[in-house]
Amino acid sequence: AEGLNLCTSGSATSCEECLLIHPKCAWCSKEEFGSTKSITSRCDFLQNLIANGCAGATENPSSSISVVKNVPLSSKGSGQTHLDVTQIMPQKVALNLRPGDQTSFRVQVRQVEDYPVDLYYLMDLSLSMNDDLDNIRNLGTKLAEEMRKLTSNFRLGFGSFVDKNISPFSYTAPRYQNNPCIGYKLFPSCVPSFGFRHLLSLTDKVDRFNEEVQKQKVSRNRDAPEGGFDAILQAAVCKEKIGWRKEASHLLVFTTDDVPHIALDGKLGGLVQPHDGQCHLNEANEYSASSQLDYPSLALLGEKLAENNIHLIFAVTKSHYVLYKNFTALIPGTTVEILHKDSKNIIELIVKAYNSIRSKVELTVWDSPEDIGLTFTATCQDGLSYPGLRKCGDLKIGDTVSFEVAVEARSCPAEHTSHAFTIKPAGFRDTLEVTVTYNCLCGCTGRAAPASGKCSGNGTYACGLCECDAGYLGARCECEEGASGDMHQAMCREAEGKPLCSGRGECSCNQCLCHESEFGNIYGPFCECDDFSCARYKGVLCSGHGECHCGECKCHAGYIGDNCNCSTETDSCVSSDGQMCSGRGTCICGKCQCTEPGAFGETCEKCPTCPGVCSTKRDCIECKLFNSGRLADNQTCQKHCKDEIITTVDVLETDDPNAILCAYPVNNCVMKFTYSELASGKSNLTVLKEPACSSAPSAVTIVLAVIGSVVLIGIILLALWKLLVTIHDRREFDRFQSERSRARYEMASNPLYRKPISTHNVEFTFNKLNKSYNGTVD
């Protein structure tokens, strides 16, 4: 083999040590083989041992698998014998593992039709939920009608909670003992606060559910958070009182309009004892440890829900949706839905959550040993394999999915040790039990010969080597300890002037006996080599991609560098379109370094803000929906567009902030679509069924529009001209007035002006009728 031989460089001194170096290493147990001084030559690749004359005397065990129980999957859930329903196959597997030798088996899971359902309705009865209580008084009948469309075997239970009846969580003053709502004008009467109260065990008589709901009254606590987590835990662990069936799917619906108290909040009320995870319902079916134990932690809730196969459904108001959504990431097997403030949508919510739960399968591992490595590859309904995934979604009732489970032992435990672990779909009662034994012993070890003549009578002969008794050394145990002299010490020096055995061993029987080290093995004829003095990367010797040999990393094929941290492979950088890092980055050490702003993903294939993304998605739409475009002719549509989920709609919704809107022309029309990236790594494309086309305007409309525009422009110009003329006239008039005010005389004082009328006075005297008159005549 080219490069470093892992087996011969591992300094194995026994068959068992050889098997631990690498799963491809084998041991030669033939007596006369190789050099008498080199014991590592017996540990080599199998083909090398056979080539060197060790055929028929090799030790090379391998891992094996045995299916112990393999009952076929059921197709239907409800029937006469529910316990016979099988949703996982196989049910028992036995593994015999050689360290480092990976073996795998296939697991199939099916969500059977008409599976029995137990639903426990857990309601917040704090004062703010009063209107919700009114709306669910006939919930049992309506919910049963809807759920029986999904299963013929449905049972319903009911419980309620408020909060711990101690300060500062509730009103504890004597005047509030019987009615904590005293003095509250909006709602002057309510029942005393309580932690959790189990009201109705699971039953198929839904009328009893309605009766119990109608009896309930709300209570009042002091702070905003509620004690709902106390109630969830009791509903999960009090299996007998709640009535959970082993053969049914368990749903726990938790309705509230506020945030919950969590672990350590109880210290505010003097509760320092952590929750013990046990059932504490008294004879009255009330939580008796409410004032003694702290609130449970999220980890404890997740453990007990999974242990009892319970799917928790958070039905919460919109204002608290984000908080409870974060809880679902910390509590496996939970979902969250938005509850209207008056709970009118509760039936629709429960049915939606149930369908969501039944549409996915996720494997969980229980009690996995530390020295066992597990990897999963999911094969979902689309027929594609997803390495590293242990869940599938978008399933229909009756669909079957499979998972490839690879198991590898990392080390050898003590002799005759066996381990067991369980693989279980989340929320299922069905399990796969896996037992593990270890194949760490060589067959030749069982044929060991004590005090063998092949070992000078001073040791045990096993697997081609002598294991010397105390006080004896040498390949054939021919030397006694201390039998050394100066004349032979030169054979223990690498060169003249060098220390004996490189200062890391003792010279005995003309050979170096290397010291043991807590860091690894010291080996070599002069103890000059070790397997731990090499460069490291992130604390890992030779980055885990090479072997340390005499202070130098010998990299595995495909890796380079002083510490073997750089991969030479570029296959992982090639995107689905054949480009290196999708043309948006460079491949460095086997990983894409995205250089395009906004690009991400293993091959920089995700880039919502890149200008060419819409055209890439367009190619997939054209080839998958219309069998056209540049990808349709060369039959690469499936290869390039395998991660695209395309949905057609009549009306395109554009209000999703995470969706990118794209458009392109099609025959004088516009085809629009949106796309967004999913958590699974796929892209969700929503496309209009038909391109959006706008009708051409008529000739009459165009002529009228032109005439109207010309007339409007003329009116505007006339108005502008009139405005300018008016301004000019006013300026001229103002100038005239100004000059007139500065004139030296008025019109009335003109010296050349003479009036056209003259007046003359004539004096006369006359008598008339013996009367005298004096006057003037004009």
Side-chain angles (χ1 to χ4, degrees), residues 662-678:
C662 298
Y664 62 92
V666 177
N667 298 329
N668 298 323
C669 298
V670 177
M671 176 62 81
K672 295 182 180 180
F673 65 93
T674 62
Y675 81 91
S676 58
E677 304 294 346
L678 302 177

Side-chain angles (χ1 to χ4, degrees), residues 314-475:
F314 287 124
V316 299
T317 51
K318 187 175 182 179
S319 58
H320 301 297
Y321 176 81
V322 174
L323 173 66
Y324 284 89
K325 183 68 175 177
N326 293 335
F327 285 158
T328 62
L330 302 173
I331 307 176
T334 59
T335 58
V336 59
E337 298 290 345
I338 295 178
L339 180 71
H340 292 173
K341 290 186 177 181
D342 55 5
S343 294
K344 284 186 177 180
N345 69 325
I346 186 63
I347 294 178
E348 175 189 350
L349 182 152
I350 292 173
V351 172
K352 180 181 178 182
Y354 176 73
N355 288 329
S356 174
I357 291 169
R358 297 279 282 168
S359 69
K360 57 188 176 184
V361 169
E362 181 176 4
L363 296 186
T364 60
V365 181
W366 293 69
D367 304 321
S368 176
E370 293 183 359
D371 62 345
I372 295 292
L374 294 173
T375 55
F376 293 82
T377 300
T379 302
C380 300
Q381 210 51 33
D382 56 6
L384 301 177
S385 296
Y386 298 94
L389 284 184
R390 59 173 72 180
K391 63 180 179 180
C392 287
D394 300 325
L395 304 178
K396 297 178 182 178
I397 302 299
D399 286 347
T400 303
V401 294
S402 62
F403 301 88
E404 190 78 17
V405 184
V407 188
E408 179 182 345
R410 300 191 183 98
S411 61
C412 274
E415 193 174 350
H416 305 302
T417 298
S418 64
H419 288 126
F421 62 92
T422 301
I423 295 177
K424 177 175 175 293
F428 286 53
R429 69 173 178 84
D430 304 71
T431 60
L432 166 59
E433 297 177 7
V434 182
T435 57
V436 180
T437 55
Y438 298 86
N439 195 352
C440 296
L441 296 178
C442 297
C444 57
T445 303
R447 302 188 294 272
S452 172
K454 298 177 182 179
C455 303
S456 308
N458 300 322
T460 300
Y461 180 79
C463 298
L465 293 178
C466 286
E467 297 178 11
C468 299
D469 296 336
Y472 293 91
L473 303 170

